[in-house]
Amino acid sequence: MTSELLERALVEEATKKSGLIWVRAASADDAGSPAVPARALWHVWHEGAAYVVGDGPGEQPLPGLADGGDAVVTVRSKDKGGRIVSWPARVAELTPGTPEWEGAVAELKGKRLNALDGEAMPERWRRECRVLRLEPRGGTVPLPSDSQAAPPPPSPAVTRRPIPAALPRLLRRKRR
């Protein structure tokens, strides 16, 4: 009983303090490689679970996370960036307009950085996004032993132009 409480406290404290969690949908057997790699997501810890918002224009993608499904959440240290704990989660999609949705969105809104629409953001989330609750179930799972590195997902983002030819010389001159 004591170890369960300690694991729950570790999950809660680590997830609260981390600004970023790595989430992947659990595969059917969870023994082989996952179909969808883990994705870094910003979140908020509220009422015993991690909440994320996404799958809408200008928001983070939530690939493979389905209502009623399972996920594995890996929490990193905010200071050092190393892995602290991994925990299994039950995914639940919140229905817009419910008290639980309103409470989660109020918390998420306070943590959302660089939103273009400011006060209209919750209404946009209601129309175009999904708000998911990642509720811990059980204890912790062993941390992955490999690097978990994956190629970056395709993106329309590109470098606008090559760096100027003189830049390396200018940088070398500054060091002297």
Side-chain angles (χ1 to χ4, degrees):
M1 182 66 173
T2 303
S3 70
E4 290 174 22
L5 291 174
L6 289 174
E7 285 182 350
R8 181 177 290 178
L10 173 64
V11 164
E12 183 171 343
E13 279 303 306
T15 309
K16 267 186 196 177
K17 291 183 179 186
S18 179
L20 196 65
I21 54 177
W22 290 86
V23 181
R24 74 169 169 86
S27 60
D29 62 354
D30 213 44
S33 62
V36 178
R39 178 73 81 153
L41 302 175
W42 69 272
H43 71 288
V44 66
W45 184 268
H46 177 65
E47 295 182 354
Y51 289 86
V52 295
V53 63
D55 279 352
E59 299 297 339
Q60 59 194 354
L62 305 172
L65 298 177
D67 188 24
D70 292 324
V72 176
V73 178
T74 301
V75 181
R76 70 177 183 96
S77 164
K78 192 171 189 174
D79 299 336
K80 306 292 183 189
R83 296 179 201 132
I84 297 175
V85 65
S86 284
W87 47 274
R90 171 72 59 194
V91 179
E93 186 169 346
L94 304 183
T95 305
T98 61
E100 186 180 23
W101 189 89
E102 296 292 340
V105 165
E107 293 291 322
L108 286 162
K109 181 182 173 194
K111 294 283 187 171
R112 176 65 164 95
L113 301 176
N114 304 324
L116 298 175
D117 47 359
E119 293 301 316
M121 184 172 39
E123 188 56 39
R124 179 174 54 86
W125 286 351
R126 179 186 315 273
R127 287 187 323 267
E128 302 171 355
C129 297
R130 297 187 312 145
V131 176
L132 302 179
R133 175 183 168 95
L134 303 173
E135 185 172 356
R137 57 172 189 84
T140 60
V141 295
L143 289 170
S145 58
D146 59 342
S147 75
Q148 300 285 297
S155 169
V158 295
T159 303
R160 289 187 270 178
R161 58 190 121 122
I163 63 168
L167 186 62
R169 284 182 298 196
L170 291 172
L171 293 175
R172 264 185 272 147
R173 193 178 314 161
K174 272 190 167 181
R175 284 190 218 151
R176 292 180 189 167

